[in-house]
Amino acid sequence: MDQRTSGADALTHRNDNTQALLGVVCGLSAALFWALGFAGTRHGLKVGFTPVDLLVHRYVWSGIAFLPLVFRAGISDLCGIGWARGLALMVLGGPVMSLISYTGFLFVPLAHGSVIQPSCATLGGLLLAALFLKEKVSASRLAGAIVIVGGLGVIGAESIGHIGIDGVQGDLIFVLTGLMFAGFGALLRHWRVSAVSAALVINVLSLLLLPIYVATVGLAHIAAIGLTENAIQALAQGVLAGPAALYLFAVSVQRLGVARAAVFPACVPALTLLTGWLLLGEPPTSLQAAGLVTVLCGFYLAQRQR
């Protein structure tokens, strides 16, 4: 009997380790895919895509893929979310936010957007959690917020000292989009909407913008850039940074829990700098690296429960 019990315990322990390892792999893969989406945005703007062109690649392909799922769950009430709430989520966490974010990369290097936007999303999330959701903010999270602000100050100093007014404008754009995403997350928690349901609805609602794009901009410009570049953006924006990253992160949450999985989005800035260096030839400057390290320390403190 004891041998059977110990054997069962060993099997359970092995299965738990396997599930945990799967969760880690999925979480890191999601973070890498989000980083590749940032790098893909920067590359796309360099080769001639406009922010609106990139928006089409980001939402059309995933919107088409998700359309049957939304119809099955109920298009009349948007999977139970409702049209009013769905439209609000689409503005704060969907194509409106993405379009503003893409525009920011016209003014500043990749490192700025990939660090400032997630950082401001974290800061805004902490602020809204305290003021809007009435959640208690621990001393550790408050300290983390202060450290993150310090890291943002280092990156902002580079914009003021080396890039100029365009750099400040680009940084402020990413501050705005980070705060928009924080509002998106706060509404998800307040309305108790799952991230998966929200992603399905946002991508499908975004299809409503396609006829406007075709009528006003047309397809000639995006077609002239070439099949290869369009395929890169369809993969980077429409697959990896969209549904693939969302699915992998959801698996990570299921296997590890929300608290442990929360560390993976914090890896995105570092992975973005790495992919930008390796794939785009944009090595981080000393100030960008210092700001990143500072922000990562702040992320660590902000995600602790104490």
Side-chain angles (χ1 to χ4, degrees):
M1 188 68 177
D2 291 340
Q3 290 181 346
R4 291 180 181 177
T5 302
S6 62
D9 290 343
L11 181 60
T12 301
H13 181 69
R14 191 179 305 116
N15 289 336
D16 289 343
N17 288 340
T18 301
Q19 293 299 316
L21 178 60
L22 177 62
V24 170
V25 171
C26 289
L28 287 174
S29 298
L32 177 61
F33 288 173
W34 280 320
L36 289 172
F38 274 119
T41 297
R42 180 71 170 168
H43 171 75
L45 293 171
K46 281 185 171 182
V47 300
F49 287 104
T50 67
V52 179
D53 296 333
L54 296 177
L55 196 70
V56 171
H57 279 300
R58 171 63 183 85
Y59 288 100
V60 165
W61 310 115
S62 53
I64 293 172
F66 291 155
L67 190 59
L69 299 177
V70 174
F71 268 110
R72 187 182 307 166
I75 190 69
S76 60
D77 63 350
L78 289 180
C79 305
I81 295 176
W83 281 84
R85 291 181 175 182
L87 290 171
L89 294 175
M90 186 177 77
V91 171
L92 292 176
V96 177
M97 184 207 71
S98 297
L99 181 61
I100 299 173
S101 177
Y102 294 157
T103 303
F105 284 111
L106 295 172
F107 302 101
V108 293
L110 178 65
H112 284 237
S114 63
V115 174
I116 293 173
Q117 184 168 301
S119 300
C120 288
T122 299
L123 293 174
L126 290 173
L127 181 63
L128 290 174
L131 299 180
F132 180 56
L133 301 176
K134 305 301 181 183
E135 295 181 3
K136 183 180 179 180
V137 178
S138 66
S140 176
R141 288 181 174 176
L142 181 60
I146 295 172
V147 173
I148 289 174
V149 171
L152 293 178
V154 172
I155 294 176
E158 181 182 59
S159 291
I160 296 173
H162 300 282
I163 302 177
I165 189 65
D166 283 349
V168 175
Q169 180 178 348
D171 286 352
L172 290 177
I173 286 174
F174 289 117
V175 170
L176 172 61
T177 54
L179 294 177
M180 290 176 70
F181 194 76
F184 170 75
L187 288 180
L188 289 184
R189 292 161 68 183
H190 180 62
W191 290 334
R192 297 183 179 180
V193 176
S194 74
V196 174
S197 297
L200 293 176
V201 167
I202 287 171
N203 281 275
V204 169
L205 282 178
S206 300
L207 292 175
L208 298 174
L209 302 177
L210 181 60
I212 301 175
Y213 173 80
V214 173
T216 57
V217 178
L219 299 176
H221 170 70
I222 199 171
I225 297 177
L227 179 61
T228 300
E229 293 296 342
N230 276 281
I232 290 174
Q233 293 305 319
L235 176 63
Q237 308 297 341
V239 178
L240 297 182
L246 175 67
Y247 172 76
L248 290 169
F249 185 65
V251 172
S252 177
V253 171
Q254 291 173 352
R255 298 296 187 272
L256 300 176
V258 175
R260 294 174 66 188
V263 70
F264 297 114
C267 297
V268 174
L271 289 173
T272 302
L273 261 66
L274 180 62
T275 55
W277 188 359
L278 296 178
L279 299 180
L280 305 181
E282 293 188 15
T285 65
S286 57
L287 280 176
Q288 290 170 6
L292 172 65
V293 171
T294 305
V295 164
L296 291 179
C297 292
F299 276 145
Y300 171 74
L301 292 173
Q303 289 172 350
R304 294 182 66 186
Q305 297 299 318
R306 298 178 182 178

